[in-house]
Each structure stands twice: as structure tokens, then as C-alpha cells.
Amino acid sequence: MLLSGNYLDFYNEIVTFIPEKRIFTDPLHTIAYGTDASFYRLIPKVVVWVNDADEVSQILKITSSLSLPVVFRAAGTSLSGQAITDSILLVTSRDWKGINVNKEVSLITMQPSVVGADANAYLLPYGKKIGPDPASIGSAMIGGIAANNASGMCCGTTDNSYKTLESMKIIFHDGSELDTASSQSIHNFKQYHHALVERISALSSEIKANPELHDKIVRKFKIKNTCGYSLNALVDYEDPIDIIAHLMIGSEGTLGFIKEITFKTVPEYKDKASALMIFKNIKDACDAVIVLKTQCKDNVAAAEMMDRAGLASVENNEGMPSFLKTLSPTATAVLVESRAENDAKLDENIAIILEKLAHIEPEMPLHFTKDVYEYTKYWKIRKGLFPAVGAVRESGTTVIIEDVAYPIESLADATLELQELFKKYGYNEAIIFGHALDGNLHFVFTQAFDDEAEIKRYEAFMQEVAEQVATKYQGSLKAEHGTGRNMAPFVELEWGSDAYVLMKEIKAIFDPKGLINPGVIINADPKAHLKNFKSMPATDEYIDKCIECGFCEPTCPSNFITLTPRQRIVANRYMTTLKNEGEEEALEAFSALYQYDGIETCATCSLCSLTCPVGIDTGSLTKKLRANQIGSLGHSIAGFMADHYGGILSTGSVALSAVKGVNAVIPNSIMKGMSEGLRAITANKLPLWSASLPAGHRFHPSIKRTGKADKVVYFSSCINRTMANPNEKSNEKSLDVVIIGILEKAGYDVIIPSAIDGLCCGMPFSSKGYKQEGKQKSDELKNALLRASENGTYPILCDMSPCSKTMAQNFGDELKVHDTVEFILEYLVGKVTFTPIDEPVVIHPTCSTRKMGLTEKLEKVARLCSTKVTIPAEIGCCGFAGDRGFTFPELNKSALRHLKAAIPEDTKLAFSTSKTCEIGLSEESGLNYRSLFYLVERAIS
């Protein structure tokens, strides 16, 4: 994008203190980074990754002087359009995430990019957590959680950001700062911003002198409410600094930037029980909720209501209880959870709840379970409702989730009326669910915005909903998702002119020029919610169900260096739009930009599918795009390699040994310099040498034939047959020697498939888009393993997890191949004695391990072998991605940038289940990672 005028001046000023690689003006990055989870889209002119508060402060001074609007963005999981702009977007860096707790762990201080789930993981060993618990907690960052006053299923109105706030550090529109925990900062702020402080104090006094307005505010915040500003701050507090801090909660980035925030922690009880209560109708369900709220408030942690349409939307999903299909047409569920500090107290809670509900006849007997497997299945129902609608929507439509709250005594009538509104406007797929304990309901429906009639339908529906919620029932138009753009036109309808004038005054006090996130919360345009809709064109079957929520982003290894899965999908949808509009020149330019960020640096690890609500695997899209770029020459070369694979591997092994031999006489620093030079000359086509690059290995296994009945087929992957270990010591045993030794010690005869030199699971081909050649190798291997195992009579062991997973996918039910982890637990435990070593070890679960659901089992194996096991919580995919770590080493480096700091200082032993991952892990950690079998060998020696 070509900048001009004040935007060009802005760019020229910030480039003096922010590297150009963190400033984006091109169409790819402005569209990709400018997208949030809402159904609106504005394309920023400039996107800036900000690393610290000084950068934010300097930028705000510049935007203020140039009168340029600016918007703050954390994870972009907000649903109401509060993190988008057509001006300047500041995106907080993913590394701006420091966490500290006080000695008593009663307070936790967090920088803005701390992901909510990471904060809870940090607090878990202390039996604590943060109060807010939004559904997006696995991806939402604390800056956004606080700025939206996001709540969730359990925190209600008692443990949300507003109620658990201890202090915060704020950056204002002019770049000035306030630390509400520092007396010196407060003194300085009052001295230089006395007018702001005095006006806030005056507003508070004005409200307290107005009984009608005062009572309205108190009443409206008895239920969840994030519509408009947190006016309760002006009622609840006397000190203007406290008022300022609490006004920032729920302000959606319109009053200032939250640089750091300190929350009071809340208990995280381990003892839990849940009951999926099925009532005959909505009225009975709501009556039950009222009982839970008024008579069992100390015994209930959560009560989630789900209407019959919602239950029906998931009843055919895998793992759902079979009784869902037998429920009556009006049945309504209330999923209740109780938590306690010990089991006896939990039993007491359950008894009280059941006693208080005894007068309401359920459709099915009420039953609490403490079984984790069983109650996880119940919560899977609740968590599956939103994606269930998204998964069945028509291409081109978007999923809208609205978020309202009613006084709990009106919940039944209001819910029935909502259902009638769905029928009136033809939203037949709509479902209702929500945090009923707080009168908070979510309703989900699909909507197209591609013609005027559809927009008119949406407009009329939302107008009726607004009047029903705000006027008839005096409820909240936004309970926990924030006002944003889609409810800004209705704030005055809900609050009345007196309170709305007050909100406009607050905005003017904090942001006199109206430059910080304009149009959000306060918006004079009554049609603002009907403009700037996202285009969601049908693009590809792999991604068409994406709702752009951003839940995938924290797991992606390229999220700090190029694009995330959501951003790749956004980019592909935009390219479809360009194609549909005949913009061939723009499409060609955009595709060129996308090549590196979207295709080359995608690890295709598919971890995104594990956190995606609708299971989208963006890695599969990338593989498809790679395949589309392959010409006939590429397939000819791949076909030749597939046909002569054994010879090529042998040549590769020799080449690796030759490189290692050169490295023996040339220091690492010179080798690295030479490699970087050659790579630069070849435009990064030549792989980059690293100190952890292994020597070659020749696979010549030595096997003892004993004639024992217990036999194991051992398939060593082509990588392990070709490569030695990274930084291998001179006297170190090769992996195949270790594995065969363990198997023989366990009493097995070992069978090696014939013609193994040319065998491969096919992944090196298919991951690059060579599907046909990949299938060829996969079929060859399957047939060889069928012969070796006598059609599956003997168990088959594969020594590399990515290959195990590939074979599981390709072979299906025809042939079972055991991964390293499951083989150890199933075929070695009980055959050999494990004596855990008293040395600290670090373990890396590969992407394949995670996708096969073997992470917990990997940890179990590690704890069989060592008394001190660390699995770094922040490390997901290592980014090595087969051989991509050689050709795009920056991806590996970025993905593992926190690894070294996450490993305890005294740790010297590190293990995983993939040779290529071990190369990248070794390079970035300073430890020499080895196969898990090396750890097993130590424990059974």
C-alpha cells in the first residue's frame, strides 16, 4: 500500500525506532493482521508489531501530533469488531508476556500478551487461577481479556477482570503513563493531568448526587454487562485513580492502552463434579437455575443452559451420549459443575444441590459424576455448540454469536421469545446456550451479507432483539463479548440518554481528539453495525468452515515470524475475491507475497486442527497449494527418486559424512559463514548448515536369531537409517543398535523387513505435494510390512513418530504400526524392569505425538525412566518440519526461541521421538536430543 500525507509522515517517524520488518503496509499483511474474530473487516493502512511500552508511548505521541486514529490489538479473538481499523493498528508482540506473582501468590502481574491459559498454567502448581475464564482463554491475551471485561462460564460477576483488578499500568492518548500501584506515578499523574483527574471526580460526584442514575447503574451491573463503559466504577469507588483503573476495564481500547495488569488470584479446586441435568422444558430449566442462583450460590461453580436445538446440533458427533437422540422436542439441559477444596465438601455441595432441586421433575434422573472421562464428555457437548453451527453453515455465510443477559427471573420468558424471533426471521438453524447462572445467553445463527435483502433481515432482527433485551427486560445487550461496532448503535437504547451522555463525556476526558479506536462503544452512526462486513467466499473445502476465531494461532510455529493458520485462510479468501472480481494483476502480486509467508514457512504440522473448534487443518491446504505448484518436471524427478530411493539415501548418507568430515577440520564459525554465503548466492535455495547436522549412518543391523515365539517387526525410518544422531559422540551407539538391544533384552526376536534400504512411509514426498509418489512409497512399505509381520501377526514398531502417524493414516485398519511411545508401554512394560534414573530430563512431544493423542503416554514413559521430568509448556511444534529446518531454518529458530529458557539449568539429557525434530531441538537448546529409546536403555540397564 502506498502511503501519503500524514500516514507517510507517520511511517517515516516510527521507522527511526522500530525495525522495518515489524512495520507492514503491503496488502498481504495489512489484511492478514487486520482481521479479528468478528464479522466485520477494515483494512489498516499501517500495521505495527509493538514489543514494549516505550514503543506504544512514542507511537501515541506521533499519532496524536498527526491526528491519526490508532487501534490496539492483542490476540484478535474479539467477536464484536473492536480490534479492527482502516488507519493504524498496533499489534502487541507475542513475546510481550512477562508474568510475576507475589510471595503469597495472591496477586499475578501480567504483560498484555500473556495468553489467559498460560497464566493459569503458571498458577496451577499453587492451586490458583485468574478469575476471567472466557471460552477463548486458550488464545485470548490478557490485554484483550481485561479491555473487554471478558468473563466466561465460572467467573460470573464476582471473579471477572473488574472485580479481581488490583492495579494496572496505563498509557494514555498522549503517550503519558500511570501506574496505579505507584504513589510516585500517581503523584506525577495528578500533577500533570489534574484536569482529567478532577473531571473524573466530578462525574463520580454527579452520579452519586443523582439517585435515579445511581440506582440504574447499580441495577444494571447486578447482571453481566459489557455494553458501554464500566459506569459502575464511578459508583463503586471514591478515589479517582481507582475509578480510572476500573473504567479501563471493558473500555475496549478506546480510553488507553493497558501496559501491565495485576489481578487478584482465585482458588482452583481439583475436586470437581458435574451433572448434565435434563429438564422437560425451558421454564423448568430456568426455574432450576433460579434455585441454583438463589439457594445454592456457594455450592455451584457453573450452570450452562442448552436448548433442544443446541443439543440436536451435536447429538451425532463422535463421543456424544446416546441419550441425546431420545430427548423430547422441548427438553432443555442445564450442565452444572460443583467444585470444592476437598472431596467431603464436594459431596456436601452435591447433596445440597440435589435437595434444593427435588421439587422440579426432570426428564431424566439427576446424577452427578466425579469421573473425569464422563464429565469431560458432558462439557464437550457444551463446547461443541458454537462450532456445530459453524460446521454446517452454507459457504459464503458467516457465523454470528450474540451475547445478552437478562435478569434471571425473566430468563424463561425471554428465552422463549428469542426462539420465536428466530422463527419469525427464518433463522431455523439458530441455537441458544449460555451461562444461565448469570442470566447470560448466547445465541448462534448463520447470516449472509452478500445481498441487500439479507442485510435488511439482519437489521430488522437485531432491532427487535435490542428492544426486547434492553427495553422490555431491562437486560444487557452485551454480557461479556464487549460492545464493539455491532452494538455501538444500541448503547443509548439500553442505557438511556442520561447515561449515554455520561459515556460520551468519559470518552472525551480520556481521548479529547477521538483518535483511540474511534467508532467502538461510542458511534454516532445508527447504521454502523450494517457496514464493513467481511467477505467469506467459498475458497476451498479444507477451510470454508473457518469462522476466523483465532483459536489456532498460539499453536502455530510460524505465528511469530510470518502468518498463522487464521491469517493464511484470510489471505486465501482474499485471493478468491480477487479472482472472482477479475483482478488478475492484483492477484498475481498478492500470490507472490503469499508464497514465503503462507506456503514456504508453513510447517504443515497441523496442530492448528487440534485447537480449531471445527477441526480445520490448514496444513492440508498448504500441502494442496504446494502440489498445485508442481510441474511435470517436478513429478518426473520425484518419480525417479521414489524408484531409486535406496541409492539416493545411500548417497545422502555419504554426503552427510563428507560434510561432517570437513567440519572436523574447519571450525563451526567458518562452516556457518561459508554456508550462509553459499545460501545467499543461491537465493536461499541451498540448505543451511548447522552445528547439529548429523553425520551419515549406514543401517546394518546385527540380530540374534533365537527362534522365540515372541517376535517384533522393526521398521527403522529412512531418516534414522540415513542419519546419525546430532552431535554424536565417537563411542555412542546408533539408534538401531539401542532399539534391537532393548527388544532382545525384552525377549523378542527382531524381524527387519526385506529390501528395507528403499522403503519409506511416503511422507517426504506427500508433505511437499507429491501425493502420487508418496502413495507409491506408502504402498510399497505396507506390502513389505504385511509380509514381514505375516499379515499383522507380529507387532510392528516404527522408531519415528511422524512416520508412525503417516502409516496410521495411510494403512487405516489394514495394518497396525506401533509408535515408539505406545510400543514401550504395551510391549516393554512387564517384559523389562524400569528403574528410574535420578537425573533431570527434558522431553519434547512431537506434533505427531500430540495428534496421535500420545502426549500423556509419552510423559508416563518418561516418568517410568526418570524421577525428574520437564515438558516445556510453551513449546509446541519445533518448526523443523521434516527437512524444512534446513531450507527455512528461521522457522525452527522462531518456534523454539523460548526453549532454552524453559529447560532447568541442571538438565543435561533431552529426548524426543523424531530425528529431524531432535536436530532442530539440539541446535536451539544447546542439549543433544536423542530418541526416547536412549532414555529407556538407561532405565532398564
Side-chain angles (χ1 to χ4, degrees), residues 453-464:
E454 279 293 288
I455 295 173
K456 288 290 185 186
R457 177 171 73 131
Y458 174 73
E459 178 182 15
F461 172 69
M462 287 306 300
Q463 186 65 43
E464 280 211 51

Side-chain angles (χ1 to χ4, degrees), residues 83 133 247 640 747:
D133 61 339
L247 281 172
F640 178 85

